Amino acid sequence: FAVITAYFLVGLSPDMTWLNIGADQASYVIAAKTGAGAGLSGAPLYILLGGILLRIPGLSSLNPFWVLGLLSALPAVGTCIMVFLITKKLTKNSFSPYLAALVFATAFAVWSEATITETYMTATMAMSFTVYFCVTKRWKSMGIAQAVSLGLHPLTIFATIPCLVFMWLDKRNTKQLGLVLLIVSAGLIFQLRNTFVSHPTTNTFFLDSPVSTLITSAGGYFGLTAWPIASSVQRAWENFLVFGSTLWAV
């Protein structure tokens, strides 16, 4: 895992990059510096963590894109460790956990997100904790991991729902299910942050209320099925600003 850590840290982009078409890097850096919301969902917990990281002595003077990139590289390592532990729990083959961690670490989709400023690896690590606590049947811990996940990215629901179904099928305990759902719902508190902060980023219009946040998140991340116009316009506006500012700089 030391080698994997070095692998991601050495590859970490020193500045803003066009890898993955630039993603939402500028939006996240601005939001972390100002405390605003960013991205379709506002990424409240990610922005809080990023803001803390950018204010740590020794890191505050470094390039903010590299600093926030640590929230991708280090969680990628954490996810590799969780993949190792999950595989170890599910198989008796002593070689399989190492292979699983290596396959995850070397996947291009992982590399492309683990070396830039983005929310996906932080959210992926939270999901890996959710799965680990699920397979080890530590239900309350699973609920906490799911609550944290909701504060990072709405896509984490793809890990939350199957794990809740698995828990229900394992015990069919209504009281236990209710308790875990209560813990999970606490993660929605993070989303309230978007209501009380200003949004001086490209997402201003789309973060004006929890309702518009929910709709545009659904539209953007679940196949543009809920409200395709909103998320499409938002993405076009972001791309216009990114490319426009680049041309202006040139």
Side-chain angles (χ1 to χ4, degrees):
F1 290 110
V3 174
I4 291 177
T5 302
Y7 163 75
F8 284 123
L9 290 179
V10 170
L12 190 58
S13 175
D15 204 331
M16 185 174 178
T17 174
W18 289 112
L19 187 64
N20 283 342
I21 320 179
D24 296 309
Q25 297 170 77
S27 180
Y28 290 134
V29 169
I30 294 172
K33 282 188 171 185
T34 63
L40 286 172
S41 66
L45 183 54
Y46 177 86
I47 297 305
L48 287 172
L49 294 174
I52 293 172
L53 207 60
L54 288 175
R55 288 165 177 77
I56 294 177
L59 293 179
S60 58
S61 60
L62 300 178
N63 188 299
F65 288 95
W66 184 86
V67 174
L68 287 189
L70 293 173
L71 285 179
S72 294
L74 297 180
V77 177
T79 305
C80 288
I81 294 174
M82 298 311 298
V83 168
F84 175 89
L85 294 175
I86 292 168
T87 307
K88 185 178 181 180
K89 178 69 177 179
L90 296 176
T91 180
K92 296 181 179 180
N93 188 317
S94 59
F95 178 70
S96 294
Y98 296 96
L99 181 61
L102 183 62
V103 168
F104 179 84
T106 55
F108 179 73
V110 173
W111 168 263
S112 66
E113 297 293 344
T115 54
I116 65 174
T117 297
E118 251 297 351
T119 59
Y120 293 121
M121 289 316 306
T122 311
T124 300
M125 185 178 72
M127 286 192 290
S128 69
F129 271 92
T130 294
V131 174
Y132 175 73
F133 290 133
C134 180
V135 298
T136 55
K137 299 183 180 182
R138 294 158 65 180
W139 307 124
K140 292 180 181 178
S141 297
M142 183 187 77
I144 294 173
Q146 290 172 330
V148 171
S149 298
L150 288 177
L152 292 167
H153 202 288
L155 276 179
T156 57
I157 195 171
F158 287 121
T160 297
I161 294 177
C163 288
L164 288 174
V165 171
F166 178 82
M167 181 191 71
W168 168 251
L169 293 176
D170 180 64
K171 293 293 185 180
R172 297 186 183 277
N173 187 322
T174 304
K175 185 176 180 180
Q176 183 183 68
L177 177 62
L179 176 60
V180 173
L181 284 174
L182 182 63
I183 296 173
V184 173
S185 64
L188 296 175
I189 294 175
F190 292 115
Q191 297 297 333
L192 292 177
R193 176 181 179 276
N194 296 329
T195 306
F196 301 105
V197 298
S198 58
H199 309 295
T201 70
T202 56
N203 302 286
T204 300
F205 174 77
F206 303 92
L207 291 171
D208 285 339
S209 72
V211 175
S212 63
T213 294
L214 177 62
I215 292 176
T216 51
S217 292
Y221 296 123
F222 300 118
L224 298 178
T225 56
W227 187 9
I229 295 177
S231 52
S232 298
V233 171
Q234 186 267 349
R235 182 61 63 189
W237 174 243
E238 286 188 336
N239 291 338
F240 170 79
L241 289 184
V242 170
F243 285 108
S245 60
T246 302
L247 291 175
W248 178 82
V250 173

